[in-house]
Structures are given as structure tokens and as C-alpha cells.
Amino acid sequence: MHQIETHIRNIPDFPKPGIQFKDITPLVKNPTILRLAVHQLIHPFMGDDITAVAGMESRGFIFGSLAAWELGLGFVPLRKPGKLPYDVQSISYDLEYGSAELEIHTDALNENDKVLLVDDLIATGGTASASCELIEQLGARVMACAFVIELDSLKGREKLSKYEVHSLIHY
Ligand code: AMP
């Protein structure tokens, strides 16, 4: 884990004052560390009966796609509004200031699916809990949520108390 942590760069006051932004670009650029992080991310779920991996735009696409590839599964993108071309299901959720929206194709998942949700980071948990709700609105089941980074002080895990939550690096 130490090797992964040393490839996460802290950028103070980005994108606004007071935010300690966790930059994963050094991690994803290093092939050994990227592989290690993806393997650690999926390790607890290797024997599970998962049918799909879902990830949120944008950095969830990087880790989610690789996790899906390693598990031999397909990837389902949860996107910002107006990006998906077919019929969509949408959800709005509150941010610290204002609100955000995510969309999923209505035929992306169904009641037979058991989904692993993947993102780079969990902060307040708003994005991940909205994503779980969206997945459930299509009738699918969320088996677990996996993150490379968890910001413990923001207690995002509490919003996901219904689910198994796996994080590699805690700040
Ligand atoms: P939240 O909904 O508060 O859990 O925020 C999680 C989403 O915002 C994730 O998709 C992260 O990529 C992004 N995010 C939130 N806080 C940070 C941070 N300090 N550094 C990098 N990304 C962050």
C-alpha cells in the first residue's frame, strides 16, 4: 500500500481554497503501480458472483474499466448529464455547494446484475450513494463499492452503510 500511496500527489487548494486534491495521475502513469492498485481493488471480490463493474465519470472510468477487464466482465459508465446518447435514467444529488447529476443507460443493467461500483476516491459519499441508487433503480444489486482513496474524516462510508466498502488508501 505504501508504494501506491507514494504515487498519489497532494495538491493543496485545488480546484479551490481548502481542498486537498488527491492527484492519481502519477499512479496511473506507472505500469507496476497501476497494476498493483487494480489488483488490490478487486482482490476481495475475486470469488464473488459479480456480473458487471460500474464507474463514475471521469476517473472512475480508468479504474472501473481496468477492474472489469481483470474480472473478465463488462463496464457500465455512469455519466454526467447529456453525454449518453440512448434512453437514460437520471439522479440528482447534493454536493457541498450546489448539486450534480448522473445518468445511466436504461438497458445497461437489469435485475439479474450484481454490480461492483468503482471510483478513484470517496469523499462525502454523495456521488457513490447516488450511483448505487441509480444502479438499483434499474433493478440491479450493488454487491460492493471499491475506491483507491478514502477521505476518512468526511465519513462517506456512513452513506454507504448498506454496502460492503473497500478502500486501499485512507487519509
Ligand atoms: P463525494 O461525492 O464527496 O464522495 O466526492 C467524490 C467524487 O469527487 C469522486 O469522483 C472524486 O473523484 C472527487 N473528489 C472529491 N474530493 C476529492 C479530492 N480531495 N481529491 C480528488 N478528487 C476528489
Side-chain angles (χ1 to χ4, degrees), residues 3 12 28 46 128:
Q3 278 175 298
V28 299
M46 289 301 283

Side-chain angles (χ1 to χ4, degrees), residues 55-58 61 77-90 101-106:
M56 307 77 132
E57 187 169 357
S58 306
F61 291 0
L78 306 183
R79 298 213 62 180
K80 291 168 184 164
K83 302 283 189 184
L84 289 171
Y86 183 63
D87 295 341
V88 295
Q89 177 84 27
S90 306
E101 216 177 316
L102 277 175
E103 293 184 343
I104 190 168
H105 271 151
T106 51

Side-chain angles (χ1 to χ4, degrees), residues 23-171:
D23 176 19
I24 49 90
T25 61
L27 187 164
V28 299
K29 192 185 167 197
N30 183 304
T32 309
I33 306 300
L34 177 59
R35 176 160 279 269
L36 180 67
V38 172
H39 284 164
Q40 297 285 340
L41 209 51
I42 62 170
H43 182 74
F45 314 110
M46 289 301 283
D48 291 2
D49 193 15
I50 291 167
T51 64
V53 178
M56 307 77 132
E57 187 169 357
S58 306
R59 283 166 301 215
F61 291 0
I62 302 173
F63 294 102
S65 297
L66 291 168
W69 173 266
E70 283 293 324
L71 289 166
L73 299 171
F75 176 74
V76 174
L78 306 183
R79 298 213 62 180
K80 291 168 184 164
K83 302 283 189 184
L84 289 171
Y86 183 63
D87 295 341
V88 295
Q89 177 84 27
S90 306
I91 192 163
S92 295
Y93 58 99
D94 291 331
L95 294 175
E96 203 176 347
Y97 302 102
S99 67
E101 216 177 316
L102 277 175
E103 293 184 343
I104 190 168
H105 271 151
T106 51
D107 64 351
L109 296 167
N110 62 41
E111 56 281 354
N112 298 318
D113 281 306
K114 296 171 184 166
V115 180
L116 174 66
L117 181 72
V118 172
D119 203 0
D120 67 327
L121 182 147
I122 177 166
T124 65
T127 309
S129 63
S131 300
C132 291
E133 217 178 307
L134 206 46
I135 290 164
E136 289 171 346
Q137 282 173 6
L138 296 186
R141 186 167 148 206
V142 177
M143 299 294 278
C145 305
F147 307 94
V148 179
I149 302 163
E150 179 169 355
L151 304 183
D152 291 343
S153 62
L154 296 176
K155 301 192 166 102
R157 187 176 278 267
E158 288 178 7
K159 284 207 184 83
L160 301 177
S161 57
K162 283 201 288 181
Y163 312 104
E164 181 179 347
V165 176
H166 171 56
S167 307
L168 304 187
I169 308 290
H170 295 260
Y171 290 96

